[in-house]
């Protein structure tokens, strides 16, 4: 376990550096094509636009690190925000202010959904993919039931986090940085974080060593839900409206950020910083394409190519590291054998 | 954790969710009964999806059904052609004499049309045309190209011959309405070389890409002159981006960014009344839905209309919004 952890600590920065390299290269290409891309204002734009995805992806990283998956995040955001705005008494698309209780209701509903996901996975003993596929439909269905598919205005206190700034830095950026630092600390430096990694590495071993597997699983889905709703609060605050489309396919964006960030879909391997960089890369691509006034038809092509490049670069680096490590092990073994023969 | 405690937690979670719902009003697509002054015909309605716009169409269908004395049964396909196919079969088995469908897939709907016709149940399409309108006994929809064209001409008028930087938000690349609203806009400004579309942003009809697209464009072109918004649901994010760039100024004042939008929902109506949107184009939902139901009833009685109608929207501006409010479905909600 100790050996695995120490190896992981060495590997994470390398993966993140590779991803950082991809982001730098992509940024330079966009900068050459459109010098305004790297202006202070636009860099702030990129960070602001990446913030909600970064936050949701940090939560998803905990889930995927255990070998699980949460397909319900987009629907969960929708339901939590719909319930919160409905609780404020807002029923119109074009008028009505939310109340200060919006945050409390949104977080409470999200935590309940996360708890429900975790408990259902434990009780039903089926793969999280199936359970959260079900809750994806369930949560969106409940949200649709509340609004009757109508839009809702998002004004008043609900916009404070999404649009505020502290010392000239947008609040969403600050929130994202705090969530990344906190998530990274929990994952790397706490017993809980190490248990999450161990559970993803091998559930059987985790059980045999007496780890609280069920409680861990519930905890990661609750963390995912909490991060998702914070992401939703930032998003709704920024756009100023709540629509049926909120969170549709968002799970794919979030999962893509996590996977591009180097976290294994099979669990037990990954990093929070990598996840944040993955989310940043997704935003850089869209922002860059906007900046160079790209044709509307090339967005998906470029996005796909850069993501394949990122995964390929990561894969090559990982393979090279693995070969180097294996070579070093062989060398140590040969030296040990030779020393034994001399003795 | 024991199984009993976990079950208790699961029940608790459900209770909390139920509690959150308790104080909320509910409204789902369901059944609408007519006044039965007609022939007591049941018409099946198959929606591709539920959105605020579809909710507006449902309300108009319910109202028209009442006037025409027919009963409606709704199904929503959640953007899945396979689901829509099954739901159409269900509607037929539940006694629908005709179907009003908004196709989820404009090609795949052909098989459903053929199958329904084999059962003696005609299908008319509403809003979203199938690939060939000859497949159905009647189609009625808005005229997205004409709406885009009207928007383009408005920008030509607003530019007044001066150099003009325009941002185009594009609805969706895989959707007839998105494509044709865009082509109409381009045709509308083609004879105005002073207007440059500095950026076209694909949005998939969502507000989030609209927000980031406007933010990014304003960053690169702080002197942006106009924004084409293909759906009124993207007006709130446009406001957010303009506020952040200190360009949220009503028409007629220094720094105003011209906005022309399409749909005519409550966001659009309010924005025009407030003077921040220079022109909105209201899709004629009441006329579309009533025509669709009338055609469905006629087809059920063996008198199909055999034609397709594309009704252009009603443009309205801050100057005439009060006069035209009765023709704008969003002004009534």
């Amino acid at each position: 376990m100790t050996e695995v952890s120490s190896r992981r600590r060495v590997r994470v920065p390398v993966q993140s550096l590779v991803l950082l390299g991809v982001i730098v290269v992509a940024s330079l290409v966009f900068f050459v094509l459109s010098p305004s891309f790297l202006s202070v204002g636009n860099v702030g734009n990129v960070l602001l636009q990446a913030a909600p995805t970064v936050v949701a992806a940090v939560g998803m990283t905990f889930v995927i690190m255990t070998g699980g998956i949460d397909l319900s995040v987009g629907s969960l955001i929708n339901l939590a925000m719909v319930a919160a705005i409905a609780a404020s008494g807002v029923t119109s698309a074009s008028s009505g202010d939310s109340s200060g209780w919006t945050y409390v209701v949104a977080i409470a509903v999200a935590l309940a959904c996360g708890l429900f996901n975790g408990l259902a996975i434990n009780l039903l003993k089926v793969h999280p993919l199936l359970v959260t596929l079900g809750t994806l439909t369930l949560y969106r269905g409940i949200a649709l039931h509340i609004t009757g598919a109508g839009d809702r205005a998002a004004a008043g206190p609900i916009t404070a986090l999404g649009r505020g700034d502290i010392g000239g830095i947008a609040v969403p950026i600050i929130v994202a940085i705090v969530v990344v630092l906190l998530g990274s600390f929990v994952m790397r430096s706490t017993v809980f974080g190490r248990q999450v990694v161990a559970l993803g590495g091998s559930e059987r071993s985790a059980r045999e060593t007496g780890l609280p597997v069920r409680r861990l699983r519930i905890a990661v889905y609750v963390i995912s839900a909490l991060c998702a709703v914070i992401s939703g609060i930032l998003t709704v605050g920024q756009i100023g409206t709540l629509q049926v489309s909120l969170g549709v396919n968002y799970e794919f964006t979030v999962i893509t950020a996590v996977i591009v960030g180097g976290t294994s879909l099979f669990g037990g391997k990954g990093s929070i910083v990598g996840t944040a960089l993955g989310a940043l890369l997704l935003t850089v691509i869209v922002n860059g394409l906007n900046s160079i006034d790209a044709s509307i038809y090339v967005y998906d092509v470029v996005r796909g190519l850069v993501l394949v490049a990122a995964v390929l670069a990561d894969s090559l680096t990982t393979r090279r590291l693995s070969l180097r490590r294996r070579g070093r092990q062989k060398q140590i073994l040969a030296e040990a054998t030779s020393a034994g023969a001399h003795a | 954790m024991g199984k009993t405690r976990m079950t208790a937690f699961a029940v608790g979670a459900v209770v909390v969710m139920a509690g959150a719902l308790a104080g909320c009003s509910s409204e789902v697509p369901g059944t609408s009964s007519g006044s039965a002054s007609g022939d007591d015909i049941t018409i099946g309605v198959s929606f591709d999806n539920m959105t605020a716009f579809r909710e507006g169409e449902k309300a108009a269908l319910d109202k028209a059904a009442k006037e025409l004395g027919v009963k409606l049964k709704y199904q929503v396909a959640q953007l899945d052609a396979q689901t829509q196919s099954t739901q159409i079969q269900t509607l037929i088995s539940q006694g629908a004499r005709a179907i009003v469908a908004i196709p989820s897939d404009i090609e795949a709907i052909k098989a459903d049309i053929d199958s329904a016709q084999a059962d003696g149940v005609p299908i008319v399409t509403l809003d979203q045309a199938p690939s060939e309108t000859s497949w159905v006994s009647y189609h009625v929809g808005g005229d997205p190209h004409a709406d885009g064209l009207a928007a383009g001409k408005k920008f030509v008028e607003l530019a007044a011959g001066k150099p003009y930087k325009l941002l185009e938000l594009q609805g969706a690349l895989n959707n007839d309405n998105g494509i044709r609203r865009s082509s109409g806009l381009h045709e509308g400004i083609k004879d105005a070389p002073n207007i440059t579309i500095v950026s076209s942003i694909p949005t998939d009809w969502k507000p989030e890409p609209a927000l980031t697209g406007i933010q990014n464009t304003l960053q690169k072109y702080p002197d942006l002159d106009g924004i084409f918004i293909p759906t009124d649901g993207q007006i709130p994010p446009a406001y957010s981006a303009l506020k952040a760039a200190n360009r949220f100024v009503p028409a007629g004042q220094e720094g105003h960014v011209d906005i022309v939008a399409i749909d005519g929902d409550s966001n659009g109506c309010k924005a025009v009344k407030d003077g921040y949107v220079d022109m909105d184009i209201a899709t004629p939902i009441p006329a579309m839905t009533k025509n669709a139901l009338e055609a469905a009833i006629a087809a059920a009685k063996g008198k199909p209309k055999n034609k397709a109608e594309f009704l252009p929207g009603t443009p309205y501006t801050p100057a005439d919004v009060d006069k035209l409010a009765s023709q704008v479905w969003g002004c009534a909600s």
Side-chain angles (χ1 to χ4, degrees), chain B residues 242-256:
Chain B
L242 291 171
K243 279 176 187 166
N246 292 321
R247 296 288 308 272
F248 187 60
V249 179
Q253 291 185 23
E254 182 71 25
H256 169 70

Side-chain angles (χ1 to χ4, degrees), chain B residues 16 20 51 54 68 73 80 99 107-108 122 143 152 202 229 266-267 289 296 307-308 321 327:
Chain B
V16 171
T51 60
R54 293 281 178 264
L68 297 168
K73 273 183 184 290
D80 184 77
I99 305 283
E107 289 288 343
D143 189 337
I229 296 181
S266 61
N267 280 310
T289 48
K307 69 173 182 174
V321 61
Q327 296 174 45

